[in-house]
């Protein structure tokens, strides 16, 4: 990676902006933060061809987008502290958990932000003051517009109904209960230094669950070790990891979390892949004990294929270890690697426009 200062374009309340900002801080990558307005959002989209946040401008004038790909690029470059496990099985589990935290916890994070009146009013006002600050019109009108838009996109269109809302709330409670003993026993998910899985989890936990009023009250009351982990990850830099051992295993106490991923996340990815391959606009799947119908996501279909490729590339012993720990869920990772159909005009491949 080239030297110099990167420019991170995003919002301080954004899920994926927070994830990448934490990674750059821990990695020791110099960067300058630019708070997006709508003009900057459009300018970044023109530069990369993808309308999403965050976007990372490199010192040589290039652009990077998609936080998972950006982290992988920096880890491949090898500069700064190593934040990828050195053992193949642990490295795969880190990637699997990162993907799950990115995509699986997205729904509860957005649900708590926009389904509850106090949370929605607070966050819509913040977006109206920041991202929409260059949009003509009074603040109250921008506030109402963004609240209506977010509730439409992240509640109604993402399958949130009277039947599914309780399942989303149960999932948040389950995740906290599984994470609490893990993060009470060691500094980070897999050991003494953070890995991709920590940064994937950080996006939802720091900028949503720990910050928004309703989920924030729950995490303070039921998962203080998880709350402490968010502050720990935000506060460290590369100098703090100089004596930390490399990660060589994924501890056994992560197995309950892997079981949840196998129960909910992998079936959802499968539903998206099946829908995209069939040219369907709606993905159908069972997760969290209920049936879901959501817009088919080419990005999530690609996520599953990327996991399958990484799983197939594992050495035999590591693949066997991962298969044992995932149980029947491993069948999802052992599937075919079909080519996805070309994107139809007007259908973006990016995951989320805004957090």
């Amino acid at each position: 990676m080239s030297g110099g200062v990167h420019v991170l374009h995003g919002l301080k309340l954004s899920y994926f902006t927070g994830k990448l900002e934490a990674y750059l801080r821990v990695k020791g990558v110099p960067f300058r933060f630019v708070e997006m307005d709508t003009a900057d959002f459009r300018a970044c989209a023109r530069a990369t061809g993808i309308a999403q946040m965050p976007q990372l401008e490199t010192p040589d004038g290039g652009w990077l987008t998609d936080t998972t790909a950006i982290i992988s690029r920096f880890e491949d470059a090898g500069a700064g502290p190593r934040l990828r496990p050195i053992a193949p099985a642990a490295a795969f589990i880190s990637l699997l958990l990162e993907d799950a935290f990115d995509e699986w916890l997205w729904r509860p994070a957005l649900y708590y932000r926009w389904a509850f009146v106090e949370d929605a009013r607070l966050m819509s006002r913040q977006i109206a003051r920041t991202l929409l600050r260059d949009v003509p019109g009074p603040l109250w009108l921008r506030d109402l517009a963004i609240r209506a838009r977010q509730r439409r996109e992240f509640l109604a269109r993402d399958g949130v109904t009277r039947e599914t809302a309780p399942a989303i709330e149960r999932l948040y409670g389950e995740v906290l209960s599984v994470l609490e003993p893990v993060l009470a026993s060691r500094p980070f998910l897999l050991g003494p230094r953070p890995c991709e899985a920590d940064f994937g989890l950080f996006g939802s936990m720091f900028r949503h669950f720990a910050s928004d009023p309703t989920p924030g009250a729950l995490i303070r009351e039921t998962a203080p070790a998880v709350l402490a982990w968010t502050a720990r990850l935000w506060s460290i830099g590369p100098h703090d990891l100089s004596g930390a051992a490399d990660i060589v295993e994924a501890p056994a106490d992560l197995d309950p979390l892997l079981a949840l991923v196998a129960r909910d996340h992998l079936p959802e990815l499968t539903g998206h892949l099946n829908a995209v391959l069939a040219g369907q606009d709606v993905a159908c799947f069972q997760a969290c004990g209920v049936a879901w119908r959501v817009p088919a996501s080419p990005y999530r279909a690609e996520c599953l294929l990327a996991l399958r490729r990484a799983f197939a590339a594992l050495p035999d012993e590591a693949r066997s270890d991962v298969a044992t720990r995932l149980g029947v869920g491993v069948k999802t990772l052992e599937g075919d690697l079909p080519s996805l159909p070309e994107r139809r005009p007007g259908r973006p491949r990016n995951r989320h426009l805004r957090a």
Side-chain angles (χ1 to χ4, degrees):
M1 303 295 294
S2 59
V5 178
H6 290 70
V7 181
L8 175 61
H9 300 257
L11 286 183
K12 286 293 186 178
L13 53 75
S14 158
Y15 190 118
F16 290 105
T17 302
K19 171 191 173 183
L20 183 57
E21 192 173 0
Y23 176 81
L24 297 176
R25 287 163 60 100
V26 176
K27 192 72 171 176
V29 177
F31 72 95
R32 176 172 61 90
F33 182 82
V34 171
E35 184 177 67
M36 282 182 165
D37 58 14
T38 61
D40 186 58
F41 187 82
R42 290 192 297 269
C44 291
R46 287 193 297 271
T48 63
I50 299 175
Q52 65 183 17
M53 68 172 67
Q55 308 256 20
L56 189 65
E57 190 175 357
T58 65
D60 60 4
W63 288 83
L64 303 172
T65 189
D66 189 321
T67 55
T68 297
I70 293 171
I71 290 173
S72 179
R73 182 184 176 97
F74 276 102
E75 290 303 302
D76 288 344
R82 182 186 176 101
L83 302 178
R84 175 184 288 161
I86 61 174
F92 178 82
I93 287 173
S94 177
L95 289 177
L96 173 63
L97 290 177
E98 189 230 16
D99 184 79
F101 294 143
D102 272 2
E103 305 301 325
W104 175 48
L105 293 187
W106 169 259
R107 184 173 293 111
L110 273 292
Y111 165 78
Y112 276 104
R113 177 160 287 184
W114 300 112
F116 295 84
V117 172
E118 181 181 4
D119 305 67
R121 285 178 175 171
L122 174 65
M123 304 316 296
S124 63
R125 179 59 61 98
Q126 289 193 34
I127 295 174
R129 288 184 184 276
T130 55
L131 181 66
L132 302 188
R133 66 186 181 273
D134 60 339
V135 173
L139 178 63
W140 66 265
L141 185 58
R142 284 177 277 148
D143 185 353
L144 287 178
I146 197 65
R147 197 181 317 158
R149 187 265 180 193
Q150 303 297 79
R151 284 177 161 171
R152 181 180 66 250
E153 291 297 315
F154 301 130
L155 298 180
R157 279 178 52 80
D158 201 34
V160 178
T161 65
R162 291 181 180 178
E163 291 72 32
T164 61
I168 296 171
E169 295 180 18
R170 285 195 304 272
L171 172 61
Y172 178 48
E174 286 179 306
V175 170
L176 290 182
S177 68
V178 168
L179 288 173
E180 179 66 9
V182 169
L183 293 171
S185 68
R186 56 182 176 271
F188 302 104
L189 284 171
L190 271 67
R193 63 174 61 213
C195 60
E196 299 99 332
D198 287 275
F199 297 106
L201 179 63
F202 189 80
S204 63
M205 288 294 169
F206 184 60
R207 286 280 161 79
H208 284 251
F209 295 135
S211 298
D212 295 359
T214 301
L218 292 170
I219 197 172
R220 287 191 295 274
E221 293 296 324
T222 65
V226 180
L227 185 63
W229 163 88
T230 65
R232 186 181 310 124
L233 187 58
W234 185 247
S235 67
I236 66 169
H239 57 281
D240 297 303
L241 300 177
S242 59
D246 284 326
I247 298 170
V248 296
E249 65 175 357
D253 60 2
L254 291 173
D255 285 353
L257 182 59
L258 293 175
L260 291 180
V261 170
R263 185 195 72 184
D264 296 336
H265 179 55
L266 294 179
E268 175 163 2
L269 293 186
T270 301
H272 285 287
L273 177 60
N274 290 342
V276 171
L277 290 175
Q280 297 170 347
D281 292 332
V282 176
C284 301
F285 53 91
Q286 291 277 336
C288 303
V290 296
W292 296 84
R293 288 176 53 86
V294 301
S297 167
Y299 183 88
R300 287 181 173 148
E302 291 176 6
C303 286
L304 179 53
L305 296 181
L307 289 172
R308 286 180 179 179
R309 286 190 290 269
F311 182 73
L314 288 173
D316 291 345
E317 184 177 355
R319 194 182 315 115
S320 177
D321 180 28
V322 171
T324 298
R325 298 183 67 174
L326 283 177
V328 296
V330 76
K331 294 186 181 299
T332 302
L333 301 176
E334 295 173 332
D336 296 333
L337 291 167
S339 298
L340 296 181
E342 289 191 11
R343 186 163 51 94
R344 281 181 281 173
R347 293 296 181 90
R349 71 170 296 279
N350 55 293
R351 59 175 78 191
H352 314 298
L353 293 183
R354 302 181 190 127

